[in-house]
Structures are given as structure tokens and as C-alpha cells.
Amino acid sequence: MKVDNVKLKDLLEGSRQFVVPRFQRTYSWEKRHWDDLWNDLEELYDDKKYREHFMGVIVTMPVEMQPHGVNKFLLIDGQQRLTTILLILACIRDLIGNHGDLAEKIDKLYLQNQFTDESNRHKLLPTQIDVDSFRRILDRKEQIESSISQVYTQFRRRLRTTNDERESLDLEHFLDTMIERLVFASIVIDKEDNPYRIFHSLNGTGEALTQSDLVRNHIFMHVDDNDQEIAYQDYWFPIQSALDKRNKLDNFMIDFVLKDGEFISRNSVYDSIRHATSQATDPKKYVQDLLENLAIYFHYYLKLVDPGNETDPRLGRLLSRLNSLRTTTPYPLLLNLYHELDSGKLSKTNMSEILETIESFIVRRYFCRIHSRGLNLIFTRMYRSIVGEADMVRAASQYLLVRKFPTDEEFIEGWIRYPIYGTGNQDRSRFVLESLETEIKQNNEPVDLFHEDITREHIMPQTLSEEWRRMLGKDAESIHENYVHTIGNLTLTGMNESMGNKPFRLKKETFNRSSFALNTYFSECETWNKCQIEKRARFLGSVALQIWKRPDN
């Protein structure tokens, strides 16, 4: 191992290329990181004492050293900083344009290697996802939208912006500030060292590694060098590229591990996989199987997070309904059910029936105020209890029935009593109202429930007027407090803003013109008070019992 303090100039000059390994994360710096770096650069630029600024550690490992060619180094730590700095240098080059030799100097000394082939030409070779965007910027080609292009755009704008102390930046002085005064601790490790283990040991020195970062590192640490390209391109890259843009990669990892039936915390995914690998008879074979299984279950997971990927209409509709409840706790179970479906051991009809039972279980417990914290454990362990059963639908029902599945009486009591609006989950109240509307509507012409103008309306308003107080009677404040956000006092409307706090007689006129089946109820009502709210809640409760049924014992 060799340790030196080096200036940016010394780090970049010469025929060399820094290659970001596949186990590294993609570019992940955000505005707060850019701001910190920019503030440091501005302070250095204005500093007349010509002091140096320490930029942190750059850890590399030589992989291909040639006396007359391009020397290649794995960039094990420091890729976020180095990527950003090279993009700033590209900004300076492009702002200077074709005036003078400075732009050519930046290109030839700090951005690109001369007299070499295309694969070795750039000083930095980012990860697969970032490489095209990065190359386009260095080659002055049309950019594509990416996190890399955002860096370039941000710093190009900043380099052109003036401030109160100066009219504009002297780009040559700014360049000199960067290449002469930014200093790194360069650690060059021996070729015999394991870069994956070193990368893991450096966790915490920069941006905290996510669980998926650690899992990726762990996987590639066990893949032979000759197989890494296939492992990355055919298995890991499709997973990462699809789920990263949805910010779901870490979520997939935890659900994938939980599907095996052992409950772990979100921060223990990597530890769980590492422990399982250490216990395997053949760790390399275990990791190979792990990667292949990740690729299989990833396609199931895409259907869970985006039900549009599910071709079966009934299954897709039920998955969409589950997502409307804003709960992902059944996902580990559903990953397993999809595998059963793919294996021919479970039909689409049976999987749909299990999903309906799960939805009923969640909705009924929600109205009965049974804490949702226990759902993680219930659904994580459910698959082990039903797999192999001749009738998995019945087995699923029996499993949930003995885990606080509210009876009809318990459900209706909570249905009438508990508020569902303003309790921290507004999506659930809309989901419940839309489900009621669809059930009541049945074969009539449906209403577009997803239209942006459709909102939830309080019949008794959230703020009482004097006329409303007279209608409610002497206990107006108590009635309002206890019933305003309950299901009996809520409906759907496309005219929420215009209705506001109007008295009931005027709201009723609007309801009579409404195309919502939910609002036909009000045509027979002459007043609106506690008795009417409870009566309507019971009516809607009878509809709810048909939607969210409790299985028979």
C-alpha cells in the first residue's frame, strides 16, 4: 500500500484511467453535496493566501500498468468527488470555448488521454448506468437527461453567475485554484488486495452505503472475474436500472429476504445475506443462486409496485387496490405466491381470492384500530403456514382468522365510531369511499374516480356555522368533534370548493344533481345530525360487509 498527498493536477496528468468497479453505486451526489463543494471552491478562489484544501481520500488499485500505454486503476473510493470535479473541469473548458489554448489544455491534460483507443480515452470510466452520459459531456456531444447531466448544468450555471463582490469569475484563475490547491490523500493498494473487502471496510468514510450497495458488493466479491460482465449485465443491471428510478431497490431487497419467513429489520438485509453465505457449503454457488433468484423475484416485484405490469385484469386490479391502502407488508408473501403461480401450484383465481382476503383483513383491522405494527410478522410468516396445502385459499383464510380478523359486529362498531379522515392516511379514506361508490353503482354507468376534480366532502363541515350549530342542537360541539371525520359524514364530490361550509339544505341540492351513487342517499334527508350520520354509517356498513368479507371458519 502506498499513501501520498497529491494535488488534483498530479492525480489527473499522465496517461491514466480511473475505472469505477461494478460493485460501486451509481453517481448519487445531490444538491447539498454540490453546494458544499461549490462553497469550498469559491472560498479558495477568493483566498489570497493561496492555501490548499483537503478533498478527502482517493483509494485506487492498479489493474493494468503499461510503460507506453494508459495505466488503469480501479477507483475503489472517491468516485463521487472525482466525477463531480471532472464535470466542473468540462464546464470550464466549454465556457472558454475555442478562445486560446486553455480549453485544449484542460481536454488533453485533465479530461482525456491522447493517442489511444476509444475505451481508454477518458480519464474516468464511470459505472455502466452513468458512462454514456459522462462520455457525451466530455466529448461535447448532445446530452441525455441523467444525474450526470444535472451536475454539468448546475455547475455551468454557477460558473457563469456573478455575485456582489465580483462581476464574473476568472475561469483561468478558477481552473488554477482547482488543479493546484485541491489536495487528496491518495491510497494505492496492492494488486493482491481484495477491492471488494476494502470497499466494504471504507463504508462510513463518505456517503453512507445503502443495504443494496452492500449486497451488490457482497455478490460481486464472490463472482469470478471472468463471469462478472455476464453477472452484471444479465442479472444485476436490469434490477438496479428498473428499481433505482423508482427508489425501490432497498425495498425490494428487504422484501426478498423477508419472503423466507424470518423477520429482520430494514438495516439487517446485508448482514442476513452475508451470514447465509458464510453458512453455505459452497458460498460461490450460494451467491450465484442468490443472483439468479433476485432476477426471478424482481419481475414479480415489478408487478407489485406497478400493477400495470400484471396482464391478468383481476389480479392487476387487486394489486392496485392494495397499493391504494399504502401498505407493502404483504409483499414478501405475494412474492412467494407469484412463484407458486409461475410453478403451476397456484391458479390466478386462487391468488386473487387470497388477495381479496388480505385486503379485507387489513381494512377491517384498520377500522377496529388494531395496530398495524404486527402485520409485518403476520405476513412474513404466512407463506410457511400455507405452502403445500391442497387448498391454499382456505389455508390462508384459516391462518388470518386466528390473528385478530375482526368479526362483522366488531367491524361495524369501528366503522361507525372511528374517524378515517385527517388521521395521517388520507389515501385510505378516499379508497374506502371509492370502493363504496363502485359497489353501490354496480351496473350503472361508472364515474371516473381518478379524475383530479373529485374530492372528499364533509356533509357536516369541518368548521361549524351558526346555522349548523342550530341543526345539531345543544351538543353541537361534541357531535362535531366525534363525528365530523367518520365515514357516515363523508362522501365524494366534484364540487368540494363550491360547497364549502354551506348549510345542509344547499348541500342537498348539489347532492341531488350529483352523478355519484353515494349521494342519492341524501334525497330523503331533511336534516343532518348525529342520528342521520350514524344511520348513514350503518347503511354504508352493510355495503362494506359485502366488499370486505370475513371468511367462514
Side-chain angles (χ1 to χ4, degrees):
M1 181 182 293
K2 181 182 177 183
V3 182
D4 283 312
N5 279 348
V6 297
K7 296 179 180 179
L8 177 62
K9 172 183 176 181
D10 302 320
L11 189 69
L12 296 177
E13 285 185 356
S15 295
R16 62 186 63 187
Q17 184 182 65
F18 298 100
V19 181
V20 179
R22 290 186 181 88
F23 58 78
Q24 282 271 26
R25 66 173 68 188
T26 55
Y27 185 83
S28 58
W29 266 20
E30 299 173 344
K31 185 176 180 299
R32 59 190 173 92
H33 304 103
W34 305 336
D35 289 344
D36 289 342
L37 177 57
W38 180 254
N39 291 336
D40 289 340
L41 291 174
E42 274 201 315
E43 189 176 333
L44 273 181
Y45 175 90
D46 292 327
D47 181 25
K48 306 303 181 186
K49 296 181 180 179
Y50 213 73
R51 62 184 176 84
E52 295 178 340
H53 178 73
F54 181 63
M55 284 295 296
V57 176
I58 295 284
V59 181
T60 60
M61 184 181 80
V63 290
E64 194 175 315
M65 308 303 289
Q66 301 179 11
H68 303 295
V70 174
N71 295 320
K72 290 194 174 187
F73 297 82
L74 279 183
L75 181 57
I76 297 169
D77 191 43
Q79 70 133 325
Q80 308 290 335
R81 279 160 289 170
L82 196 56
T83 303
T84 309
I85 286 170
L86 263 65
L87 290 169
I88 296 173
L89 293 177
C91 290
I92 297 173
R93 176 201 64 184
D94 295 344
L95 287 172
I96 293 170
N98 298 320
H99 306 296
D101 299 328
L102 190 56
E104 186 178 0
K105 174 185 174 182
I106 296 171
D107 229 6
K108 289 184 176 180
L109 291 181
Y110 310 126
L111 297 179
Q112 310 205 35
N113 295 309
Q114 305 302 304
F115 314 114
T116 186
D117 58 33
E118 181 66 22
S119 64
N120 294 320
R121 189 158 55 84
H122 303 97
K123 295 283 186 180
L124 176 69
L125 195 63
T127 57
Q128 294 287 333
I129 293 177
D130 298 328
V131 68
D132 186 31
S133 182
F134 185 80
R135 280 176 169 168
R136 284 174 175 269
I137 291 172
L138 265 60
D139 294 342
R140 298 176 175 173
K141 293 181 178 179
E142 183 180 354
Q143 295 181 31
I144 54 176
E145 180 60 30
S146 68
S147 56
I148 294 290
S149 65
Q150 289 175 15
V151 181
Y152 178 86
T153 302
Q154 277 281 330
F155 281 100
R156 181 167 176 139
R157 178 182 59 78
R158 295 181 190 209
L159 285 164
R160 298 177 66 179
T161 303
T162 60
N163 64 23
D164 294 337
E165 271 111 49
R166 57 172 176 266
E167 292 185 359
S168 62
L169 287 167
D170 179 338
L171 293 178
E172 186 169 2
H173 176 45
F174 199 90
L175 173 65
D176 185 65
T177 298
M178 291 184 65
I179 64 174
E180 294 287 356
R181 298 165 68 183
L182 295 183
V183 177
F184 299 83
S186 171
I187 301 176
V188 182
I189 65 173
D190 298 330
K191 290 184 71 172
E192 293 73 26
D193 291 331
N194 188 317
Y196 301 89
R197 297 191 188 280
I198 292 171
F199 175 72
H200 176 57
S201 70
L202 290 168
N203 183 21
T205 62
E207 185 73 5
L209 298 177
T210 64
Q211 291 295 300
S212 54
D213 289 329
L214 294 169
V215 171
R216 179 183 61 240
N217 173 46
H218 178 77
I219 287 173
F220 283 95
M221 183 169 68
H222 290 83
V223 176
D224 291 336
D225 290 344
N226 295 335
D227 298 328
Q228 291 219 354
E229 183 67 22
I230 293 175
Y232 183 81
Q233 292 289 357
D234 292 356
Y235 293 95
W236 185 265
F237 178 72
I239 298 171
Q240 179 173 297
S241 58
L243 296 181
D244 252 359
K245 63 186 178 185
R246 294 176 169 89
N247 294 317
K248 298 290 187 183
L249 188 54
D250 272 12
N251 292 343
F252 169 58
M253 289 297 164
I254 178 67
D255 289 331
F256 176 83
V257 173
L258 288 176
K259 73 177 175 54
D260 292 333
E262 294 297 330
F263 185 77
I264 61 169
S265 68
R266 297 187 65 85
N267 294 324
S268 301
V269 174
Y270 164 67
D271 288 336
S272 174
I273 289 176
R274 184 176 62 171
H275 177 73
T277 305
S278 69
Q279 299 299 306
T281 306
D282 185 346
K284 282 194 174 183
K285 177 68 166 57
Y286 175 84
V287 169
Q288 180 183 338
D289 292 343
L290 169 67
L291 191 55
E292 291 175 357
N293 281 324
L294 283 169
I296 292 170
Y297 283 88
F298 149 69
H299 290 290
Y300 306 151
Y301 190 76
L302 280 182
K303 295 181 180 183
L304 301 184
V305 297
D306 185 359
N309 292 308
E310 172 53 64
T311 57
D312 182 80
R314 185 183 179 190
L315 263 180
R317 179 179 61 83
L318 288 167
L319 291 174
S320 293
R321 288 177 63 82
L322 187 67
N323 289 342
S324 295
L325 287 169
R326 291 296 184 265
T327 180
T328 61
T329 50
Y331 278 12
L333 167 67
L334 297 180
L335 288 175
N336 283 315
L337 294 184
Y338 260 119
H339 195 58
E340 292 287 308
L341 186 64
D342 260 9
S343 303
K345 300 174 183 176
L346 184 70
S347 68
K348 290 181 178 180
T349 298
N350 287 345
M351 184 167 174
S352 295
E353 290 172 351
I354 294 173
L355 269 168
E356 288 174 341
T357 302
I358 288 171
E359 181 185 314
S360 294
F361 182 71
I362 292 171
V363 170
R364 285 185 174 228
R365 284 169 62 101
Y366 168 68
F367 273 97
C368 292
R369 291 303 185 266
I370 300 173
H371 207 293
S372 61
R373 191 164 45 209
L375 290 177
N376 282 308
L377 203 57
I378 289 172
F379 289 122
T380 296
R381 294 177 175 174
M382 183 170 170
Y383 177 69
R384 284 185 176 180
S385 295
I386 68 175
V387 65
E389 294 289 335
D391 186 345
M392 287 183 68
V393 177
R394 180 169 179 77
S397 298
Q398 293 300 316
Y399 177 87
L400 294 176
L401 279 170
V402 297
R403 285 165 175 82
K404 297 183 179 179
F405 201 135
T407 63
D408 289 355
E409 293 75 17
E410 292 168 334
F411 179 36
I412 293 303
E413 181 183 352
W415 177 266
I416 296 170
R417 175 182 173 189
Y418 288 116
I420 64 166
Y421 184 98
T423 57
N425 199 331
Q426 303 292 3
D427 291 320
R428 282 191 174 181
S429 61
R430 176 159 180 152
F431 166 79
V432 169
L433 289 166
E434 289 176 354
S435 298
L436 293 168
E437 173 67 21
T438 301
E439 182 70 17
I440 296 171
K441 202 86 173 177
Q442 292 185 341
N443 295 326
N444 295 332
E445 182 181 353
V447 175
D448 179 11
L449 295 175
F450 298 100
H451 196 284
E452 60 182 11
D453 290 338
I454 293 176
T455 59
R456 289 147 298 182
E457 168 71 16
H458 291 76
I459 297 96
M460 173 179 60
Q462 296 188 70
T463 303
L464 294 178
S465 64
E466 285 304 317
E467 184 168 341
W468 270 104
R469 285 190 173 87
R470 287 194 297 272
M471 178 173 284
L472 294 172
K474 63 184 180 65
D475 296 324
E477 295 299 332
S478 174
I479 294 170
H480 184 262
E481 180 180 354
N482 291 322
Y483 288 91
V484 65
H485 295 318
T486 60
I487 190 67
N489 192 54
L490 296 172
T491 192
L492 292 173
T493 177
M495 311 169 191
N496 183 277
E497 187 174 344
S498 62
M499 293 180 73
N501 287 12
K502 288 180 180 179
F504 179 72
R505 55 189 170 79
L506 297 180
K507 285 194 173 188
K508 179 181 173 181
E509 294 176 5
T510 303
F511 292 144
N512 288 340
R513 297 192 302 270
S514 172
S515 57
F516 285 103
L518 275 171
N519 295 332
T520 59
Y521 181 91
F522 303 108
S523 62
E524 303 298 323
C525 299
E526 297 302 325
T527 187
W528 196 252
N529 51 31
K530 174 183 174 181
C531 180
Q532 289 287 356
I533 293 171
E534 289 186 345
K535 183 178 178 182
R536 180 169 178 264
R538 292 188 183 280
F539 162 70
L540 295 178
S542 66
V543 178
L545 290 175
Q546 298 305 308
I547 303 172
W548 298 292
K549 297 177 181 178
R550 188 176 192 269
D552 296 328
N553 286 317

